[in-house]
Amino acid sequence: PWWNPAAELQAADRTHRIGQTRSVSTIKLLVKDSIEEKILELQSKKQEIFNQVIDSSQLYSEKLSMEELRYLLN
């Protein structure tokens, strides 16, 4: 996996556009207890926190703890 999930999705989309007339599938292979698995866990946690803050009708300062903010910025 890439550090930037948006760039990874863009690369997958690009392979589909470059002269392909058939469907294109992408597969992620992960090894258990690897750095790649940890990257995906980190991305998932950050996305979850982001969704909680952005999708909430409350002010983000009420929803986001200082610990979560530090986690996002690291």
Side-chain angles (χ1 to χ4, degrees):
W2 298 13
W3 283 103
N4 183 344
E8 185 176 8
L9 291 173
Q10 183 183 30
D13 288 344
R14 192 176 303 122
T15 60
H16 178 70
R17 288 192 307 263
I18 300 176
Q20 286 293 331
T21 57
R22 299 184 203 160
S23 296
V24 174
S25 299
T26 58
I27 300 171
K28 284 187 187 182
L29 299 175
L30 294 177
V31 176
K32 188 175 180 173
D33 298 325
S34 66
I35 187 70
E36 288 85 4
E37 185 179 44
K38 292 175 183 165
I39 291 169
L40 288 179
E41 287 173 12
L42 178 67
Q43 289 174 346
S44 176
K45 288 178 186 177
K46 287 186 174 187
Q47 185 66 49
E48 184 180 320
I49 293 170
F50 178 81
N51 290 341
Q52 287 175 1
V53 172
I54 297 302
D55 293 340
S56 174
S57 60
Q58 295 177 329
L59 292 175
Y60 67 89
S61 61
E62 296 173 6
K63 195 88 165 144
L64 189 64
S65 72
M66 190 57 83
E67 181 180 321
E68 289 173 325
L69 182 59
R70 282 191 195 107
Y71 180 78
L72 282 174
L73 297 175
N74 284 331

